Each structure stands twice: as structure tokens, then as C-alpha cells.
Amino acid sequence: MELLLKIFICFLAGAGAGIGTGFAGMSAAAVVGPMLVSFLGIPAYEAVGIGLISDVLASAVSAYTYKKSGNLDIRNSLPMMVSVLIVTVIGSFVASFLPERTMGNTMQIALIFIGLRFILKPVTTTKEQMNSGSPKERIIKAIIGGVFVGFICGFVGAGGGMMMLFVLTSFLGYQMHMAVGTSVFIMAFTALVGGISHFAIGGMPDIPAMIMCAAFTLLWARIAAIIANKSDAKTLNRAVGVVMILTSIAILIVNSIK
């Protein structure tokens, strides 16, 4: 019975995380972590580590799918990725001095409003418009955006992927498909660094749970990314908005029953 429950929870966590990753570029850890803590009693630090490892594979396969469709901006995303990785470590270090992280629920509420924004005011930027700015301006904006997202990833511990999508579309002027593809590309490296750090500090996690969560997340991320790349911009905007809202509400509910 316990094994069946573990499989069921890991499937639900993987499905939610994978769909969110493939459609909206969100972090799988934001879904997997709370689910494992609340329903399987796995320690929070260990659960986040499992979520991050699940995120590595899911984000990598999603990024590959978006790249095949020409929706991944590797060159211009590198400055943002570097700043995200550096500031994530700084944000995590700052947060370690605080008695507890109280911004988690606030972040989920903020993401609900961002989701509504994508539904009510879809991003209709074209790739031509996206490439209209000067290279220097794009690099500066990428670094500033990366600092903002990195601090959220390190300090809050959740919501970084979806906030990165918002920064890419609203601040850097990315076309929607390109923004999701670039977001999952950056999050794959961010999750890898975070996952290695968690296991180096906290030791090995629940291996069966990690394997199942990673497999289910990978499967659903691949499916979602394929569907997303075949959708038009407005449809993808609405899908992203719905995923953000439903995921944030689900996490708020899960957090309330811890």
C-alpha cells in the first residue's frame, strides 16, 4: 500500500511539474518538493533536491524540443544564465541567516497575477521585433534580469522559472515560444547546480522517489513541449497563464496542509 501511494504521489508530482516545465518553463522543484513533503513525509531539504534533479532532465528535454523548432536563444541567454547562477548562490546564502522563508506564499500569489496577465494580455512579440535592440542593450538587460531571477531562486526557493519567463517576455522583449525555450535551457543548469549542492550537503535522497519523479516529470515535460511548439502564440500565452494559476493555487493548498 505504501509503495502504491508513493508511485501515485510521484506520478501526480511528475505530471504537474512536467506540464508546467514544458508549457511555462517553470521549475519542477516548485511542484515536486511540496508534494513529497506533504504526502510522503520526505524531509523538505531532501524533497527540494529530488525536485531539482527532476528539473534538470525535464528542462533539458524541453530545451531540446524548443531548439528543434528554432525557439531557443542560446547565445544571448548566456549572460543571463551566468548572473542567475551567481546570484542564486548569494540569495541562498542571505536566506540562510533568516529564521524562516516567509516569501513563498507571497510568490505564489504574485505568479497568479502574472498568469492572469498572460491570459488577458498575451505576448504577441515577433522574432523580428525581439531582435531589433542593440547587442549591448540586450546583454545589459539580460544581466539585470538574471540578477533579479537569481535572487528569487536563491532567496525564495520557488517560482524562479516562471519569474524568468515573465522577465524574458516583459523586460527583454522575447517572443513567447523563444522565452519558454530559453527559460527551460537556463533552468536546466540552475537546477543542476542546486541539485548537486543539495546532495553534497544533505546526502543521498530517497532513490526510488527520485527515479520515479524524474521519469514522470521527463515524460510529461516532453509531451507538453511538443504540444507547446505546435501552438500559436496566443494559445501558448493562455496555456502558460492557466498553468501558472493552477500550479500556484495547488502549491498554496499543499503548503496549507503541511
Side-chain angles (χ1 to χ4, degrees):
M1 188 65 181
E2 288 185 6
L3 178 60
L4 291 177
L5 176 62
K6 178 178 286 190
I7 295 173
F8 179 66
I9 295 302
C10 289
F11 174 79
L12 289 181
I19 292 171
T21 299
F23 268 120
M26 61 172 279
S27 170
V31 177
V32 173
M35 290 283 288
L36 297 184
V37 171
S38 297
F39 298 109
L40 295 182
I42 293 177
Y45 196 83
E46 180 181 335
V48 171
I50 292 173
L52 288 168
I53 291 301
S54 301
D55 198 10
V56 173
L57 297 176
S59 293
V61 74
S62 296
Y64 172 74
T65 304
Y66 278 89
K67 185 179 186 299
K68 286 207 307 181
S69 298
N71 292 316
L72 174 56
D73 183 16
I74 295 178
R75 186 184 66 181
N76 292 313
S77 68
L78 291 179
M80 185 176 187
M81 182 174 73
V82 172
S83 60
V84 167
L85 292 175
I86 293 173
V87 182
T88 294
V89 176
I90 296 173
S92 180
F93 178 74
V94 172
S96 68
F97 290 97
L98 301 178
E100 61 182 54
R101 301 186 184 190
T102 59
M103 291 179 62
N105 288 343
T106 302
M107 176 57 64
Q108 300 310 323
I109 293 172
L111 291 173
I112 290 174
F113 284 101
I114 293 175
L116 287 172
R117 183 265 189 190
F118 283 121
I119 294 173
L120 300 176
K121 191 179 179 182
V123 176
T124 57
T125 307
T126 64
K127 290 184 180 179
E128 291 74 20
Q129 291 172 326
M130 187 189 85
N131 295 319
S132 61
S134 69
K136 182 179 180 181
E137 179 185 0
R138 291 171 65 83
I139 290 175
I140 293 173
K141 283 187 173 182
I143 293 173
I144 294 173
V147 169
F148 175 70
V149 173
F151 190 76
I152 288 176
C153 288
F155 189 78
V156 182
M162 289 183 279
M163 191 59 69
M164 186 181 302
L165 182 64
F166 178 71
V167 169
L168 287 170
T169 54
S170 299
F171 184 56
L172 295 176
Y174 270 59
Q175 182 259 1
M176 192 63 183
H177 289 81
M178 189 73 75
V180 179
T182 302
S183 176
V184 291
F185 172 72
I186 295 174
M187 289 308 297
F189 291 93
T190 306
L192 179 61
V193 172
I196 292 174
S197 298
H198 268 70
F199 295 151
I201 296 172
M204 291 304 294
D206 184 320
I207 299 298
M210 183 179 71
I211 292 174
M212 286 189 289
C213 285
F216 289 134
T217 304
L218 178 64
L219 171 65
W220 284 100
R222 174 65 172 166
I223 293 171
I226 291 174
I227 295 173
N229 277 281
K230 292 181 179 179
S231 304
D232 58 51
K234 288 188 176 180
T235 300
L236 183 57
N237 271 270
R238 295 190 180 104
V240 168
V242 170
V243 167
M244 279 190 176
I245 292 170
L246 293 181
T247 302
S248 296
I249 291 174
I251 292 174
L252 286 172
I253 294 173
V254 169
N255 286 340
S256 70
I257 62 176
K258 287 182 182 180

